[in-house]
């Protein structure tokens, strides 16, 4: 689902790299294309038309570009492009949004933060994706006494908290064994329940995993001050949305961050970045996040060698100095979206697929 803005450009490159990976690692992918968000509003009158939703549910995975743009900004509520994306996440049951953020050595200088601060950063943000303030009722406009009023509700059940906590603890076991749970338990009752349930899940099922709790305001500061201390960060929908853009400054560009949304039968794979209407259609967008999202999709399907090969190809392409404009550094050559994708694809075709001694993490 290419979506809006730069979405079509970056998903085109992800498909190109997937085709190369299929050739190299011996699998074939069949895909169909559907509109979502603004493009679906224009073509079919709704941000997630019924027929599109049905097609998504019948797929093994959904690869999505981005949604939204100024053309649809005047629309409200369920008619907005973003509402289509939220409805899709909900329909797929994709409650766990995995957003890995790593700063390989060769990128530490590209960060707006000092090299010694970001060096060694390798965290996984686990964002709850189908509940919380994005979805709960009551919501919407209400009759006010002093002019217009509107409301949203932040609400979580024990079951919703427990299942996202389990995802976080499971990832921690595969990684460095640490979970930071982020909430606002000093103010919000919903966060007090969050903290209680996360603590209990650890005690009952994951006593070997280290757990700390941080308030969201403090977490934002600590992620900027000492990013390399974090392993798995688990948090509610809205907090995770904010923290993941914040964390994107660590490697220097939002254009690098992939995501996987899992939990249902069909996974959803999309870059963390938005539709960037200001540069849409100009070949300036960084396709890395979309390409790395496709790698997460292959990983999910057990094609671990192909996923690793794609990650390595992206890293090597960036390391040799081919950069889209968002990652321009002295001594690097600025390339277009298409050239970046073509370079990554050609490296994937040459990959051995075996673990190599120095694998930069991305
Ligand atoms: C994201 C985006 C979306 C979100 C928008 C486009 C609805 O910002 O995936 O982070 O808020 O979840
Ligand atoms: Mn966001």
């Amino acid at each position: 689902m290419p979506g809006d803005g730069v979405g079509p450009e970056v998903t085109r490159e992800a498909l190109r790299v997937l085709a190369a990976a299929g050739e190299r690692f011996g699998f074939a992918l069949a895909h169909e294309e559907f509109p979502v968000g603004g493009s679906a509003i224009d073509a079919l009158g709704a941000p997630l038309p019924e027929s599109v939703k049905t097609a998504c549910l019948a797929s093994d995975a959904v690869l999505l570009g981005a949604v939204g743009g100024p053309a649809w900004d005047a629309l409200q509520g369920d008619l907005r492009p973003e509402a289509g994306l939220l409805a899709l996440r909900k329909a797929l049951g994709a409650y766990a949004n995995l957003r890995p953020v790593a700063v390989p050595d060769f990128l530490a200088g590209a960060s707006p933060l000092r090299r010694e601060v970001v060096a060694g950063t390798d965290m996984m943000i686990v964002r709850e994706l189908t509940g919380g303030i994005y979805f709960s009722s009551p919501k919407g406009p209400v009759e006010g006494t002093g002019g217009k009023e509107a409301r949203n509700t932040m609400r979580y059940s024990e079951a919703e908290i427990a299942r996202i906590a389990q995802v976080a603890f499971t990832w921690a076991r595969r990684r460095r064994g640490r979970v930071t749970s982020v909430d606002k338990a000093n103010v919000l009752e919903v966060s007090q329940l969050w903290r209680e349930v996360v603590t209990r899940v650890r005690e009952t099922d994951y006593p070997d995993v280290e757990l700390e709790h941080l308030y969201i305001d403090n977490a934002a500061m600590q992620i900027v001050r000492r990013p390399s201390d974090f392993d798995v960060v688990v948090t509610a929908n809205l907090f995770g949305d904010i923290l993941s853009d914040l964390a994107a400054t660590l490697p220097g560009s939002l254009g690098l961050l992939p995501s996987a949304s899992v939990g249902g039968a069909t996974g959803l794979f999309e870059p963390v970045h938005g539709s960037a209407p200001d540069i849409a259609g100009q070949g300036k967008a960084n396709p890395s996040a979309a390409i790395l999202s496709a790698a997460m999709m292959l990983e999910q399907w057990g094609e671990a060698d192909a996923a690793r090969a794609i990650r390595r190809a992206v890293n090597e392409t960036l390391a040799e100095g081919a950069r889209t404009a968002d990652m321009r550094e002295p001594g690097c050559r600025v390339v277009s979206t298409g050239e970046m994708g073509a370079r990554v694809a050609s490296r994937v075709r040459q990959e051995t697929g075996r673990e190599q001694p120095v694998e930069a993490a991305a």
Side-chain angles (χ1 to χ4, degrees):
M1 307 177 84
D4 311 323
V6 299
E9 296 160 68
V10 298
T11 47
R12 189 179 308 130
E13 299 314 316
L15 288 176
R16 186 200 313 240
V17 171
L18 280 172
E23 265 173 48
R24 171 63 192 79
F25 293 91
F27 56 82
L29 285 173
H31 76 272
E32 284 178 284
E33 211 167 284
F34 295 94
V36 66
S39 56
I41 294 172
D42 291 350
L44 302 163
L48 183 67
E50 228 17 70
S51 58
V52 173
K53 181 161 109 183
T54 306
C56 288
L57 285 165
S59 310
D60 294 315
V62 174
L63 183 68
L64 192 142
V67 299
W72 308 282
D73 260 351
L75 299 170
Q76 297 205 334
D78 288 348
L79 300 172
R80 293 187 61 84
E82 290 81 359
L85 178 55
L86 298 189
L88 179 60
R89 291 170 176 172
K90 191 78 170 179
L92 296 177
Y95 65 85
N97 182 214
L98 311 170
R99 299 187 157 183
V101 184
V103 183
D105 258 1
F106 69 88
L107 282 183
S111 175
L113 301 180
R114 284 203 310 279
R115 171 183 285 278
E116 61 271 27
V117 172
V118 294
T121 294
D122 183 1
M123 74 178 87
M124 170 75 88
I125 298 177
V126 178
R127 170 189 177 194
E128 199 292 324
L129 200 63
T130 55
I133 197 166
Y134 271 56
F135 289 95
S136 309
S137 315
K139 65 184 285 184
V142 275
E143 270 317 313
T145 44
K148 280 186 177 175
E149 283 185 28
R151 71 197 151 162
N152 291 92
T153 302
M154 192 186 279
R155 183 184 187 119
Y156 273 113
S157 69
E158 281 189 276
E160 284 176 300
I161 301 167
R163 69 180 182 181
I164 194 72
Q166 279 153 5
V167 171
F169 289 125
T170 303
W171 272 96
R173 274 188 182 153
R174 282 183 225 153
R175 294 169 51 96
R176 303 196 302 281
R178 297 195 49 201
V179 169
T180 304
S181 174
V182 175
D183 61 40
K184 187 70 184 173
N186 50 345
V187 176
L188 305 175
E189 281 85 351
V190 61
S191 284
Q192 289 154 18
L193 179 67
W194 179 280
R195 197 173 272 225
E196 182 189 314
V197 174
V198 172
T199 303
R200 190 171 67 228
V201 169
R202 174 188 168 269
E203 276 165 11
T204 323
D205 295 322
Y206 303 86
D208 52 303
V209 177
E210 217 181 296
L211 171 65
E212 67 167 345
H213 301 277
L214 291 182
Y215 298 136
I216 175 72
D217 49 352
N218 186 29
M221 181 169 70
Q222 300 305 333
I223 286 174
V224 173
R225 278 170 59 148
R226 46 176 187 93
S228 62
D229 284 356
F230 292 88
D231 182 14
V232 174
V233 175
V234 64
T235 192
N237 205 340
L238 179 62
F239 297 157
D241 178 48
I242 298 167
L243 282 188
S244 52
D245 269 36
L246 177 84
T249 60
L250 301 169
S253 175
L254 195 49
L256 278 180
L257 260 58
S259 91
S261 303
V262 298
T266 301
L268 169 63
F269 300 85
E270 50 172 323
V272 171
H273 65 70
S275 58
D278 53 322
I279 58 164
Q282 301 171 31
K284 287 184 180 166
N286 187 349
S288 300
I291 293 169
L292 293 169
S293 300
M296 292 185 88
M297 178 180 86
L298 294 181
E299 187 99 60
Q300 178 85 6
W301 285 340
E303 295 286 350
D305 286 345
R308 195 179 306 119
I310 292 174
R311 284 195 295 269
R312 201 156 49 211
V314 169
N315 273 332
E316 286 170 0
T317 304
L318 294 169
E320 77 175 6
R323 303 284 177 85
T324 42
D326 54 311
M327 300 191 62
R328 185 196 311 254
E329 275 193 280
C332 291
R333 203 166 67 76
V334 173
V335 299
S336 68
T337 310
E339 183 171 352
M340 184 82 196
R343 279 168 179 259
V344 174
S346 97
R347 278 188 184 273
V348 166
R349 275 195 206 90
Q350 295 153 22
E351 280 287 348
T352 64
R354 283 192 303 274
E355 195 82 57
Q356 284 172 10
V358 197
E359 190 196 346

